[in-house]
Amino acid sequence: MKKALEFDAKQHYYEPHHNDGKNGTYKCASCPALNNLAYRGFIPRTGRSVTYQNMAQSMRDVFNFGDDNIMIVIVPALALQPGAATLDLDQFMDDKAQHSINCPAAPTRLEKNIGNNIDIDMTLFNQLLSFSKNGETFSLEDLAEHHHLRHNQSRAEGPHWQFGNSNATCALAQYTNLVGVLGRNGEYGLQTLYVEDVKRFYLLEYLPLAYERRELPYYSVESTVLNDRMTHHIGFQF
Ligand code: HEM
């Protein structure tokens, strides 16, 4: 089901960076998984000139993220930068990517029209943590309720707000990726997401201490089922 992740700790030592802005050395994404790959050197540590192949292979190696899920994010990025073999991590959040890759109602990032949409917003992060009913784990339903709040906050904040099915898929996948990839045994089986793991993954952008890699890839059929369960809980349907 899940196995310890083996890698060369000398080569893949942990060295976190902050996003340096437009002309800086280091580029980060609003995705803790992508930043995690950069901080450990699975992709270039600068977060710049990352090849699509390197990004995809590292996502398989570290998270066993399924190829179809990888393509869902990478294909629009390729379309926005036609002909480019590489991209910088912050390009996933730039003006071009709005509504195709960077969607409204991200769990812990501000909307681009409000401010910094790359770095974690601690008020939003603490709000996310407060949705765990027992303080130790998140159920999919807890996460659905948090998404519902973020949806309504985002709607109130955006003068030109729009939220179609693809935005919903994108917003929900940010939660269900956590459950599908980082979930480990507990009260909801392997779909139990632990608060301590979420803290470590978001705040250090480091793998949870008890992290084990899925043996089966996390394909989109599984994420669709999880997304669907979340939408049903809050009375919405794709
Ligand atoms: C090729 C693979 C991936 C790419 C290109 C990617 C890219 C992105 C992008 C562009 C965002 C920002 C979306 C937005 O703000 O609307 C994002 C958010 C996020 N990603 Fe990824 N991602 C990938 C895989 C993963 C995996 C495997 C995980 C989990 C282990 C993950 C966890 C998250 C989370 C939790 C967020 C939400 C951050 C927040 O709280 O706002 N991603 N990702």
Side-chain angles (χ1 to χ4, degrees), residues 186-223:
E187 56 199 307
Y188 315 110
L190 279 180
Q191 289 169 356
T192 310
L193 182 64
Y194 285 81
V195 171
E196 63 183 270
D197 292 355
V198 169
K199 281 187 182 165
R200 201 173 151 92
F201 194 59
Y202 264 104
L203 299 177
L204 301 178
E205 296 182 305
Y206 199 91
L207 293 174
L209 278 175
Y211 178 72
E212 289 187 312
R213 179 181 179 270
R214 292 171 61 108
E215 286 191 89
L216 279 178
Y218 179 63
Y219 287 124
S220 74
V221 65
E222 190 174 341
S223 41

Side-chain angles (χ1 to χ4, degrees), residues 13-224:
Y13 59 90
Y14 171 71
E15 187 182 54
H17 296 289
H18 290 293
N19 198 52
D20 278 345
K22 214 168 178 220
N23 300 313
T25 306
Y26 293 101
K27 305 286 187 186
C28 295
S30 65
C31 174
L34 281 173
N35 293 338
N36 173 279
L37 294 180
Y39 296 170
R40 302 212 71 133
F42 288 99
I43 58 177
R45 289 181 182 272
T46 56
R48 293 162 60 177
S49 303
V50 185
T51 67
Y52 290 99
Q53 288 90 336
N54 184 193
M55 191 185 306
Q57 189 59 47
S58 308
M59 280 288 172
R60 292 185 197 109
D61 291 345
V62 176
F63 298 110
N64 213 356
F65 203 48
D67 282 8
D68 51 1
N69 270 330
I70 291 173
M71 293 303 276
I72 285 172
V73 204
I74 280 185
V75 166
L78 271 167
L80 291 175
Q81 323 284 342
T86 65
L87 87 173
D88 296 348
L89 292 187
D90 62 347
Q91 286 181 302
F92 279 118
M93 271 69 57
D94 67 12
D95 287 340
K96 276 185 173 179
Q98 297 312 302
H99 283 279
S100 61
I101 306 175
N102 191 229
C103 54
T108 70
R109 265 59 176 184
L110 297 174
E111 305 296 321
K112 194 167 168 60
N113 65 305
I114 303 271
N116 180 342
N117 70 336
I118 296 182
D119 298 324
I120 189 167
D121 180 274
M122 285 310 292
T123 306
L124 292 179
F125 181 65
N126 288 325
Q127 184 187 73
L128 168 65
L129 296 185
S130 73
F131 274 66
S132 160
K133 295 206 174 60
N134 59 17
E136 282 183 19
T137 57
F138 290 100
S139 65
L140 261 187
E141 289 69 28
D142 295 339
L143 299 172
E145 288 162 24
H146 184 255
H147 163 69
H148 196 44
L149 172 68
R150 289 295 298 130
H151 169 276
N152 290 341
Q153 288 175 335
S154 164
R155 180 168 55 186
E157 285 164 355
H160 308 293
W161 195 79
Q162 47 171 289
F163 199 80
N165 274 346
S166 59
N167 290 135
T169 308
C170 168
L172 289 162
Q174 296 176 50
Y175 297 90
T176 51
N177 284 352
L178 290 173
V179 174
V181 173
L182 302 186
R184 58 187 168 90
N185 246 332
E187 56 199 307
Y188 315 110
L190 279 180
Q191 289 169 356
T192 310
L193 182 64
Y194 285 81
V195 171
E196 63 183 270
D197 292 355
V198 169
K199 281 187 182 165
R200 201 173 151 92
F201 194 59
Y202 264 104
L203 299 177
L204 301 178
E205 296 182 305
Y206 199 91
L207 293 174
L209 278 175
Y211 178 72
E212 289 187 312
R213 179 181 179 270
R214 292 171 61 108
E215 286 191 89
L216 279 178
Y218 179 63
Y219 287 124
S220 74
V221 65
E222 190 174 341
S223 41
T224 304

